[in-house]
Structures are given as structure tokens and as C-alpha cells.
Amino acid sequence: MGQQAQKHKSVERSRAPSYFTTAFHPSKARDYREHRPSNHSNNAVIRSIAWNNLGNRIACGLNSNLVRVWNPEKPEAKNSTELKGHLKDVEKVVWDPMHPDKLSSCCNGQVKFWDYRINRCLGTTATVGDNVNLAYHPDSKVLAVGTKDDRIHFIDPRNTNTILKTHKESNQCNQVTFSHNGEFILITTSLGKVVLRDWPSLEEVYSVSAHHSAINCLQLDPRGSTLAIGGSDAALSLWDTTHWVCIRTFTRMESPIKSMGYSFDGAYVCASSDEATNIEIAHCDSGDYVHTVQTNHSIPNIAWHPNKYVLAYTGDPVGLKILGINAV
């Protein structure tokens, strides 16, 4: 069974600007510095980040063929765990939703399953195609693996020797995720649509024409009542998942949105781009922007802590950064 961590109290909209200005002040950011790989001429590049469900570990997928698991309370690399075994750059990392010590990662043609506590690979699955996206079913018994050639492989982490099934989308898909109840798979497309498919039949149930151009990312809020969608048109839209109507659109970003997410309570949403130097944070119900995190580099990945107003992001050459960790 999955462990549960206590969530912090929500911050009201009226207090949000002052709260985030203080908690997310650049001077309070904590750095998690990467070593320079001996076989790479440049600094290690973080291609993916993910918190476990307790928020006591955060994993990074690196271009140096490894996964690094950090304890956010110990920012020295000597206190992190290196998971080695990939033959190519690690494109994506994702934690098992039921087991806070287990995670999966992928590179081109390969998916690995890990237990970071014992620093052990629990299994490896060979796949066809360049793997770029991972998503666990809520019961953790299936992992969906999206590829650049628009295939979605489904793997049972308990039997990694074979692939359960493979589905081929007719259009480019950039991300897949399961609904919170595990009954549907949501798939982004290059046509600006989100396709809902039944699980496990994979029959199309519904499609939402959400944006005028390709959708890059999506995430359900903690309750599953709204879906946030980030597009290459630089817009972030929120959709009611009961009636599938758009309830809010955020347009402050000026570059394609490549990463976004909800705060632990679903009250706030943020977005970033690998072509821009800002993170925009907005209040979902009012539509008000409450804070901008300004950096001097692009921000390809952001991830809210699952239980606190703490935000991790990448793009800084020194490594991972976490905002708000010193404020809680």
C-alpha cells in the first residue's frame, strides 16, 4: 500500500503574492549540483525530474546515462543515490504511485525499474522506438511508455520480460497519462486535441479540441475535476472534466509551454518553457497571476512537491534547483 504524507495548509488567493514572493525568492533557492561527467565535455543536463509520493525524494534523469535520486534535505551529491545501467541519455523518470522507494526510467529502446533504497535494477524491458514519456496506472501494475514514433507500450512492472500490448496513435502524441480512477488514458496530439481512451480496451471514448496547435503536456488536478493543458501556442488552458468545457485560459507565457503542473492542493498552476526564462504561477479559481519566477536560463522542467508549496526546476547549468524548501 502507498504511504501518505501530511499536506500543508493552503494559502488563500489574497495572501499568495506576498507568500510566493518571500518563499520563492531567488536567494532562498537550494542548489543540487551535478558532477561533470568524465565522458561529457559539458555539464550534465537534466532531462526529467519527478517527486515520489511522499515528497522525501526527487529523481533526475540525466544525459550522462544515469538517474540520480536526491534527498531534498541533503543537497550534497555525496548524499544522493546514483542508479546506473542505462546505455543512453535518460529521457524520463517517474515514481511508482504505490511504492515511494520504486521508480522507472527510460532511454531509447529501454525501460528500467528500480528500487533506490537498495540501489538495484529490478527489471529491464527492451522496446521498439525512442522512449520519451512514462506514466503509471494508479494501481502501479501497468506502466505506459510513449515513443517518438507515436507508439504506446504497456508493461507490467512485475514481469518486465515482455510487453503487455502496444498501441499506435495516428497522430503525434507528446504525453500520456492515466485518469485518477485508472479507467481512461489521456493522450495529447499534434492537432491540438486530447484523446481519451478506455483502459484496457484502448477504444476512443472522447476527444477534446483544446488548442489550435500541438499540445505538449497535460496534468489532472489532485481531485481529477480539471485538466490543465499546455500547448505550443504558449497558452495554458484548464478544462472541466465532467462537461469538457474550458473554464480558464492563461496566456502570459510567450513561448511554447513544455512543462506545467498543479500545486498539491490544486489551487495554483504553473508553467515554463525551454525557450523562456520565467515560471508563471497563477491562481486557478480566479485566473489571477500571483507570482513570476525569473531566471537567467530556460526552464525545460518544473515539478511541484506533492504536499507543500515547494517547486523544483531545471535549466541552470549547475543542476537542479528547488524553491520554497527553506520556507517550510
Side-chain angles (χ1 to χ4, degrees):
M1 294 179 62
Q3 301 178 44
Q4 297 294 322
Q6 184 177 0
K7 297 182 183 295
H8 280 212
K9 292 183 178 180
S10 298
V11 171
E12 296 178 355
R13 158 66 187 91
S14 59
R15 292 183 54 233
S18 61
Y19 177 88
F20 287 116
T21 297
T22 301
F24 286 7
H25 193 277
S27 65
K28 295 184 178 179
R30 183 176 290 180
D31 297 341
Y32 299 77
R33 295 179 177 269
E34 280 295 334
H35 296 303
R36 178 173 298 191
S38 58
N39 60 337
H40 285 69
S41 59
N42 298 316
N43 289 340
V45 175
I46 302 172
R47 306 183 73 90
S48 174
I49 56 174
W51 294 92
N52 70 353
N53 61 357
L54 296 181
N56 62 2
R57 293 294 185 274
I58 184 169
C60 300
L62 300 167
N63 69 333
S64 50
N65 303 356
L66 65 83
V67 175
R68 187 182 301 281
V69 178
W70 293 94
N71 177 344
E73 300 300 328
K74 298 179 178 181
E76 299 82 14
K78 66 180 181 180
N79 295 316
S80 66
T81 301
E82 291 186 352
L83 304 177
K84 299 179 180 180
H86 278 294
L87 303 177
K88 298 181 181 179
D89 297 353
V90 178
E91 296 292 337
K92 195 73 175 179
V93 291
V94 62
W95 289 87
D96 184 315
M98 300 295 290
H99 304 94
D101 303 320
K102 295 181 180 181
L103 66 157
S104 300
S105 57
C106 67
C107 66
N108 292 351
Q110 188 183 67
V111 180
K112 285 186 173 292
F113 298 83
W114 309 90
D115 186 326
Y116 89 87
R117 292 176 308 165
I118 57 177
N119 201 336
R120 178 184 174 188
C121 178
L122 303 177
T124 301
T125 305
T127 62
V128 176
D130 297 342
N131 302 316
V132 294
N133 186 250
L134 300 173
Y136 269 102
H137 188 279
D139 67 8
S140 81
K141 295 179 181 179
V142 174
L143 179 74
V145 183
T147 70
K148 283 185 178 179
D149 60 355
D150 310 318
R151 287 182 172 85
I152 305 173
H153 304 297
F154 298 92
I155 303 169
D156 183 345
R158 300 163 298 180
N159 179 17
T160 60
N161 294 323
T162 60
I163 294 174
L164 294 174
K165 64 172 71 177
T166 297
H167 168 77
K168 181 72 166 67
E169 279 292 314
S170 58
N171 297 294
Q172 175 185 329
C173 56
N174 294 319
Q175 186 178 349
V176 299
T177 191
F178 284 94
S179 61
H180 292 336
N181 61 11
E183 296 179 359
F184 304 99
I185 297 173
L186 292 80
I187 304 170
T188 67
T189 75
S190 59
L191 302 178
K193 291 183 178 181
V194 174
V195 178
L196 280 74
R197 295 189 177 277
D198 174 76
W199 175 256
S201 73
L202 298 177
E203 293 293 326
E204 183 173 333
V205 176
Y206 195 69
S207 67
V208 182
S209 297
H211 288 242
H212 295 297
S213 58
I215 295 173
N216 295 323
C217 48
L218 79 172
Q219 184 179 328
L220 288 161
D221 82 326
R223 296 182 300 260
S225 59
T226 62
L227 176 70
I229 301 173
S232 59
D233 55 5
L236 176 68
S237 58
L238 304 185
W239 292 75
D240 176 287
T241 57
T242 300
H243 304 289
W244 290 111
V245 294
C246 182
I247 56 177
R248 193 86 62 212
T249 301
F250 300 98
T251 58
R252 181 176 286 184
M253 294 293 292
E254 297 181 352
S255 301
I257 295 174
K258 291 298 180 67
S259 188
M260 45 72 58
Y262 282 101
S263 58
F264 72 92
D265 53 1
Y268 300 94
V269 67
C270 66
S272 73
S273 174
D274 59 1
E275 299 179 23
T277 60
N278 57 311
I279 302 172
E280 296 295 340
I281 302 174
H283 184 245
C284 296
D285 287 346
S286 66
D288 297 335
Y289 287 93
V290 296
H291 188 65
T292 298
V293 177
Q294 189 62 55
T295 73
N296 57 6
H297 53 78
S298 60
I299 309 167
N301 300 286
I302 51 179
W304 285 99
H305 189 283
N307 308 303
K308 306 173 182 177
Y309 292 124
V310 169
L311 186 66
Y313 67 93
T314 69
D316 192 306
V318 305
L320 175 71
K321 282 183 173 288
I322 300 182
L323 293 166
I325 195 94
N326 295 317
V328 295

